[in-house]
């Protein structure tokens, strides 16, 4: 958790990785799973990165593709970065500032790239109606990004933002050569800038990374690049992954959310296995989105009935209990986020099993005294989400709310199903299992992409599935502009409460996980920034 386990600088060997589902995308401009951002650093370099270090050291931002962190001007509306010289793509072409600009601009095309955060299109001073370099090919974008020379890139914002280095940390700033861009198919062969490149890539089946001979360690102080190869397989049964981790036949469960309930007692009950496990907490909330666009959940009292009827202990048990699932949550912000404070607007009784009578009263209030029917979505490859959906099915059933479980693939969960507003409404997805970890550890990094209604995209891919509250959008803007740190942190707590007042999110647990430490790897440590093992730093023992 705070030190490196089995430190070594030995090079060579193969790291074996498995994913119970599929990636949302390997394209740096279109990915938003935490594990993907963690792993992507092996083959792509962004302007800035979290320091590869154990414990709180990983929360520090350090230059990556850039020579140093951004230089602000114009009161924080303009940010300038100088690129390191000598950084090359895998084909030997030198990376320039134009490649970074192109990468950022293409990521704003959310029709082509439905996944990924929406910070850049929200905050860059882009021309009105700009739709990315494919659809707005001849539009001058110097008002948003300038490249005065091959080593300099300048970002212009609509409003001051003191934390722009966090934007520069995102994979969307990893350079893309325009001449090699294949649009939506670029994920099939990303042109590498990191120490590894794709040897083969079978979409949704697996891929192999091998050494990139054009990577120059002298340009990269953050990567040791110890293994010779990473072999990744997808759509592997989650319980099989646990068994292989325990036996040593597999090194990494890429999603990093911990062992499944079926393996929990086995690990905790065997002293040898328990001694080889880690139990990190993270700035992650496992929760359920409650959609106000699906009747009768367009009535606030019906949504409140769900809050009261939920057996919180059942939700916690589904994720592995207090030890490896997490602490019961009654609000959004995890306790590690500055400004977070615990509150409970929908008390669930002394035993946390729900207030059935209060739930029935709310159903009466919303005109559904006998309950109602709706569907609940979850990711098919995630047994914990299925268990949580079943726990909700049982506890809500006590008051007549009938849930039908709907499983969807992890890779397309947000782009086509739970995060696609027309699909949600047409298919009666009143509830959707969800989870969120802060992009960085402050209120804005946690809240903005899940509670700001302006990030919702009717074409799908939104990380905000259910929050459409104008007051919250206004509060976010006010908090961003607040220069007093204590007042700004208090603003995050006020936003948390305002969202909970509308009952559009059902908090589950503030996450912990039980990770089985890889038997055959060196340099193992938990990155606080990702809440997982640091996949960039490992070697083969």
């Amino acid at each position: 958790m705070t030190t490196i386990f089995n430190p070594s600088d030995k090079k060579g060997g193969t790291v074996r990785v498995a994913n119970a589902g599929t990636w949302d995308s390997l394209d740096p401009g279109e990915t938003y799973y935490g594990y993907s951002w963690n792993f992507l650093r092996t083959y792509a370099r962004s302007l800035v990165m979290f320091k590869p270090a154990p414990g709180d050291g990983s929360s520090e931002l350090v230059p990556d593709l850039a020579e140093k962190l951004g230089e602000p001007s114009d009161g924080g509306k303009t940010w300038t970065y100088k690129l390191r010289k000598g950084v090359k793509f895998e084909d030997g072409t030198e990376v320039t500032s134009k490649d970074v600009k192109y990468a950022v601009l293409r990521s704003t095309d959310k029709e082509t790239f439905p996944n990924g955060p929406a910070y850049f299109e929200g905050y860059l001073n882009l021309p009105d109606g700009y739709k990315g370099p494919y659809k707005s090919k001849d539009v001058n974008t110097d008002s948003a990004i300038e490249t005065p020379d091959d080593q300099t890139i300048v970002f212009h914002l609509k409003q001051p933002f003191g934390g722009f280095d966090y934007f520069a940390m995102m994979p969307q700033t990893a350079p893309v050569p325009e001449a090699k861009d294949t649009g939506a198919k670029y994920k099939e062969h990303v042109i590498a800038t990191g120490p590894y490149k794709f040897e083969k890539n079978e979409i949704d089946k697996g891929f192999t990374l091998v050494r990139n001979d054009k990577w120059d360690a002298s340009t990269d102080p953050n990567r040791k690049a110890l293994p010779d190869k990473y072999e990744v397989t997808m759509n592997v049964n989650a319980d099989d992954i646990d068994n292989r981790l325990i036996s040593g036949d597999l090194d990494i469960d890429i999603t990093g959310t911990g062992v499944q309930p079926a393996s929990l007692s086995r690990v905790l009950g065997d002293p040898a296995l328990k001694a080889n496990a880690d139990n990190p907490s993270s700035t992650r909330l496992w929760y359920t989105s409650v959609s106000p666009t699906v009747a009768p959940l367009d009535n606030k009292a019906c949504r409140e009935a769900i809050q009261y009827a939920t057996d919180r202990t059942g939700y916690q048990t589904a994720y592995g209990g207090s030890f490896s699932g997490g602490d019961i949550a009654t609000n959004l912000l995890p306790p590690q986020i500055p400004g977070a404070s615990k509150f409970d607007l929908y008390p669930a009784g002394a035993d946390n099993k729900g207030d059935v009578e209060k739930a029935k009263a709310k159903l009466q209030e919303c005109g559904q005294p006998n309950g109602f029917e709706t569907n609940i979505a979850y990711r098919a490859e995630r047994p914990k989400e299925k268990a949580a959906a079943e726990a909700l099915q049982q506890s809500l059933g006590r008051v007549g709310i009938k849930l039908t479980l709907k499983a969807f693939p992890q890779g397309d969960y947000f782009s086509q199903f739970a995060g696609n507003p027309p699909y949600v409404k047409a298919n009666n997805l009143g509830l959707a299992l969800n989870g969120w970890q802060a992009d960085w550890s402050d209120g804005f990094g946690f809240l903005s992409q899940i509670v700001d209604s302006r990030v919702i995209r009717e074409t799908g891919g939104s990380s905000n599935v259910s929050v459409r509250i104008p007051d919250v959008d206004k509060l976010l803007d006010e908090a961003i502009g607040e220069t007093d740190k204590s007042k700004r942190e208090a603003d995050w707590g006020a936003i948390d409460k305002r969202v909970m007042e509308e009952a559009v999110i059902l908090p589950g647990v503030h996450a912990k996980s039980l990770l089985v430490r890889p038997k055959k790897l060196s340099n193992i440590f938990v990155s606080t920034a990702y809440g997982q093992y640091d996949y960039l730093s490992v070697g083969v023992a």
Side-chain angles (χ1 to χ4, degrees):
M1 299 292 292
T2 58
T3 58
I4 297 173
F5 181 82
N6 196 17
S8 173
D9 288 331
K10 178 184 175 182
K11 293 195 173 186
T14 299
V15 177
R16 303 157 302 172
V17 181
N19 188 338
T22 62
W23 253 254
D24 52 355
S25 179
L26 293 167
D27 187 329
E30 198 205 1
T31 183
Y32 212 173
Y33 278 120
Y35 71 81
S36 179
W37 285 22
N38 185 353
F39 187 79
L40 180 141
R41 300 170 299 156
T42 60
Y43 63 86
R45 297 179 64 178
S46 52
L47 287 172
V48 170
M49 69 187 295
F50 286 119
K51 185 178 181 180
D56 291 340
S58 66
S59 298
E60 179 186 349
L61 289 175
V62 295
D64 184 7
L65 193 61
E67 292 179 342
K68 57 184 180 179
L69 299 181
E71 294 184 0
S73 57
D74 191 22
K77 289 177 67 175
T78 298
W79 288 78
T80 302
Y81 296 84
K82 290 279 189 179
L83 272 60
R84 300 180 194 270
K85 294 182 179 179
V87 179
K88 296 179 180 179
F89 290 107
E90 65 180 65
D91 62 2
T93 305
E94 189 152 347
V95 172
T96 73
S97 56
K98 292 179 178 61
D99 300 314
V100 177
K101 175 178 179 176
Y102 180 75
V104 172
L105 290 177
R106 72 191 284 275
S107 76
T108 67
D109 180 350
K110 288 300 189 283
E111 290 184 16
T112 306
F113 306 115
N115 300 302
Y119 293 111
F120 285 116
E121 54 265 42
Y123 288 87
L124 285 177
N125 189 34
L126 291 162
D128 289 342
Y130 184 72
K131 296 182 179 180
Y134 309 141
K135 302 179 181 69
S136 304
K137 188 173 180 62
D138 298 322
V139 174
N140 187 312
T141 55
D142 286 351
S143 63
I145 308 176
E146 290 184 283
T147 53
D149 58 59
D150 283 350
Q151 304 304 127
T152 307
I153 185 166
V154 184
F155 296 92
H156 299 287
L157 309 182
K158 297 174 185 175
Q159 63 192 82
F161 186 71
F164 188 80
D165 278 329
Y166 288 112
F167 288 10
M169 167 274 302
M170 291 183 287
Q172 293 164 308
T173 67
V176 174
E178 184 173 1
K180 298 286 182 72
D181 184 17
T182 52
K185 291 188 176 183
Y186 187 69
K187 64 184 179 182
E188 297 175 9
H189 189 148
V190 176
I191 309 301
T193 49
Y196 299 93
K197 63 182 180 181
F198 288 89
E199 181 182 54
K200 69 173 183 177
N201 182 15
E202 299 176 279
I203 295 295
D204 296 344
K205 292 182 180 179
F207 59 88
T208 302
L209 296 180
V210 295
R211 291 193 180 278
N212 174 12
D213 60 359
K214 301 301 181 183
W215 174 74
D216 185 348
S218 69
T219 71
D220 193 342
N222 302 305
R223 294 165 174 82
K224 292 184 177 181
L226 298 180
D228 287 334
K229 182 184 293 188
Y230 288 83
E231 290 183 347
V232 180
T233 53
M234 300 187 206
N235 289 311
V236 182
N237 178 272
D239 292 320
D240 289 344
I241 289 177
D242 286 352
N243 291 332
R244 291 170 60 191
L245 285 171
I246 290 169
S247 69
D249 292 332
L250 182 70
D251 301 315
I252 293 172
D253 174 2
I254 193 70
T255 59
T257 55
V259 299
Q260 306 305 321
S263 301
L264 187 60
S265 59
R266 179 181 174 190
V267 173
L268 296 180
D270 184 326
L273 290 177
K274 186 176 180 180
N276 200 49
D278 296 302
N279 187 213
S281 58
S282 66
T283 55
R284 181 187 297 277
L285 172 71
W286 295 117
Y287 67 95
T288 298
S289 298
V290 185
S291 179
T293 63
V294 176
L297 296 173
D298 52 352
N299 187 304
K300 179 181 174 181
C302 278
R303 301 194 299 269
E304 290 176 321
I306 288 174
Q307 301 278 346
Y308 283 115
T310 296
D311 179 349
R312 296 171 178 173
T313 63
Y315 205 122
Q316 182 187 48
T317 299
Y319 277 92
S322 59
F323 190 80
S324 67
D327 298 325
I328 289 174
T330 58
N331 61 286
L332 308 186
L333 286 170
Q336 302 96 322
I337 299 290
S341 60
K342 188 176 178 66
F343 61 89
D344 188 358
L345 300 185
Y346 310 99
D351 58 2
N352 264 321
K353 293 186 179 298
D355 187 332
V356 171
E357 293 308 311
K358 188 72 172 178
K360 289 180 178 179
K362 285 293 179 181
L363 287 173
Q364 188 79 32
E365 183 181 334
C366 76
Q368 303 288 334
N370 298 318
F372 56 88
E373 297 184 17
T374 195
N375 295 325
I376 182 169
Y378 68 94
R379 284 170 279 200
E381 305 89 344
R382 301 195 174 195
K384 294 176 185 178
E385 289 196 356
K386 182 182 181 183
E390 290 172 339
L392 285 171
Q393 184 182 52
Q394 182 174 356
S395 62
L396 270 56
R398 297 178 299 177
V399 297
I401 301 174
K402 181 181 178 182
L403 300 184
T404 300
L405 274 61
K406 300 288 185 180
F408 299 104
Q410 168 183 290
D412 296 326
Y413 189 69
F414 293 102
S415 62
Q416 295 187 31
F417 305 109
N420 186 312
Y423 187 93
V424 166
K425 191 170 183 178
N427 292 273
N428 200 35
L429 294 185
L431 303 179
L433 269 292
N434 212 329
W436 185 258
Q437 180 165 326
D439 288 340
W440 58 88
S441 191
D442 81 344
F444 183 80
F446 182 84
L447 290 169
S448 66
Q449 296 293 294
I450 60 169
V451 304
D452 190 332
S453 69
R454 294 164 293 190
V455 308
I456 295 175
R457 299 186 287 274
E458 293 302 313
T459 54
S462 172
S463 46
N464 177 2
V465 175
S466 62
V467 185
R468 300 167 178 260
I469 309 170
D471 288 355
V472 167
D473 299 345
K474 182 179 178 182
L475 287 169
L476 281 167
D477 290 343
E478 291 173 352
I480 294 165
E482 177 57 67
T483 56
D484 184 295
K485 184 173 181 288
S486 61
K487 291 181 179 178
R488 186 172 62 252
E489 290 177 356
D491 288 343
W492 306 132
I495 292 169
D496 187 348
K497 188 172 183 179
R498 183 69 188 92
V499 173
M500 288 305 303
E501 285 173 348
E502 292 298 321
V504 287
I505 285 179
L506 172 67
V509 292
H510 288 131
K512 297 176 72 176
S513 58
L514 186 71
L515 304 175
V516 175
R517 197 177 306 128
K519 290 185 176 181
K520 298 181 180 179
L521 299 189
S522 61
N523 293 334
I524 301 299
F525 60 87
V526 171
S527 166
T528 300
Y530 297 105
Q532 307 162 342
Y533 292 129
D534 187 293
Y535 302 145
L536 176 65
S537 302
V538 298
V540 180

